[in-house]
Each structure stands twice: as structure tokens, then as C-alpha cells.
Amino acid sequence: MSKIVEILSNEELRRTLNRLASEIVERAGDLSHLVLLGIHTRGVPLAQRLTHQIEILEQVTIPVGAIDITFFRDDLDKVGMRTPAKTQIPFDLTGKFVVLVDDVIYSGRTIRAALNAVNEYGRPETIALAVLVDRGHRQLPIHPNFVGKELPTAREEQVKVYLEEIDGQDRVELLCP
């Protein structure tokens, strides 16, 4: 049986997203060029929450989209074929400051696939990465620009992110074998 350790509570997750939104605003500079793209599945509601918080902080509307990276993955043989979610990017990314948003970064392969997918929708000026949890163990030279929680893990451990929009609750857990 696995041991479950709470990493972020509902309140801690809310505060973490508020901090990340502030960091994104500070780094982006001209907010008229800022767009957020959530990586399916849990990156999408995280991008929407970050966008909402930025809008509260700065009284500006920030475009938010969703990107599915299924057909850009190099590890479909390992993760198995899945039904792609709908990519929704109703704006041109050319010249924009794009922030890719995901829940957990591990090997970096998901982000590599997302970078390839983004190129199908324009040529951004800058692409940055925001993740809720960085658990280490990178296989590619990809490093997030905005990190909610650095969580060094063992390879056999798992990080589970639960979001109200998908799971009915907000929390992050570490599952230890």
C-alpha cells in the first residue's frame, strides 16, 4: 500500500497560483502580448486560473487557450494511444509572450511536444513555462521559468494533482510506494 503525503492543501494551492500569476506579470512586461496556453489535461484549468488572477491584479483581459500534444509525443508507445483533447487557440501566437502551463514537469518530454505543437499556431516572440510542481528527473534540457513547488522525488514516487474543475477538489499529493 502506498503512503500518501499532502504537498499542497487547497489554500496552499490557491496561494501558489496567486504567486505564479504575480511572477508572470512581472516577467511579461507588456501584458498586451501575453497569452497563456494550458497543456491538456490539468494545465488547462491551471492556465484559466492564472489568467483570471492576472486579470484581477492588472485589470486587463489575457487570452487563454488549450493545447493537446498527443500527436507530438515521442513516447506514445510507452504512454499508449489516447483520444486527443481539443486544441483551442483562437488567436495568432506570432510575436506573443506565450506561457505554457502544466501541472507537473518530470522528464520534459511533454513540454518538448508542446513546443513542437505551438509552432503550428504561429511564431511567438518568447515561450515561457509555468508548472505547479517540478519533481526533477529531466531527460531533456528543459527548465520551467515559473515553478509553484520544487519537489525532489524518487523515480518510483508519483505526484498527483487534483483540481476542482476535474477532480472535485484542490490538492497535491505525493504517493510513496
Side-chain angles (χ1 to χ4, degrees):
M1 183 161 160
S2 296
K3 177 182 171 190
I4 299 172
V5 179
E6 184 176 72
I7 302 304
L8 294 174
S9 67
N10 179 346
E11 183 64 20
E12 291 166 328
L13 195 146
R14 184 188 64 77
R15 286 186 188 136
T16 298
L17 291 175
N18 289 346
R19 177 178 51 79
L20 286 172
S22 294
E23 290 175 6
I24 290 168
V25 166
E26 186 176 321
R27 170 91 187 274
D30 181 0
L31 298 182
S32 68
H33 295 291
L34 178 64
V35 300
L36 273 69
L37 290 180
I39 300 171
H40 278 290
T41 297
R42 285 174 180 77
V44 174
L46 288 172
Q48 292 166 341
R49 289 189 197 186
L50 287 168
T51 299
H52 179 71
Q53 186 59 32
I54 291 168
E55 290 172 352
I56 289 171
L57 290 170
E58 299 295 318
Q59 290 78 51
V60 296
T61 300
I62 303 295
V64 63
I67 193 161
D68 180 82
I69 53 108
T70 301
F71 296 119
F72 295 91
R73 296 189 71 101
D74 66 357
D75 59 354
L76 279 177
D77 58 328
K78 290 182 181 144
V79 297
M81 193 58 182
R82 51 183 81 167
T83 304
K86 186 169 170 81
T87 291
Q88 296 173 312
I89 305 176
F91 40 82
D92 185 10
L93 298 181
T94 302
K96 300 294 186 184
F97 185 101
V98 174
V99 178
L100 288 172
V101 181
D102 205 5
D103 57 349
V104 178
I105 186 168
Y106 179 50
S107 67
R109 293 193 178 279
T110 296
I111 304 309
R112 189 219 33 93
L115 290 168
N116 288 343
V118 163
N119 286 330
E120 300 288 318
Y121 296 92
R123 189 177 187 290
E125 176 72 28
T126 302
I127 301 175
L129 174 61
V131 298
L132 185 60
V133 178
D134 181 351
R135 61 170 292 198
H137 302 286
R138 220 72 81 239
Q139 295 172 349
L140 300 171
I142 293 174
H143 186 77
N145 306 84
F146 310 102
V147 178
K149 177 88 173 166
E150 298 241 6
L151 183 66
T153 61
R155 289 192 188 275
E156 63 273 5
E157 294 174 327
Q158 289 184 310
V159 175
K160 285 288 291 173
V161 174
Y162 299 94
L163 298 176
E164 184 69 39
E165 297 89 337
I166 297 168
D167 308 298
Q169 63 177 320
D170 282 339
R171 62 188 285 129
V172 177
E173 296 176 342
L174 178 66
L175 280 65
C176 309

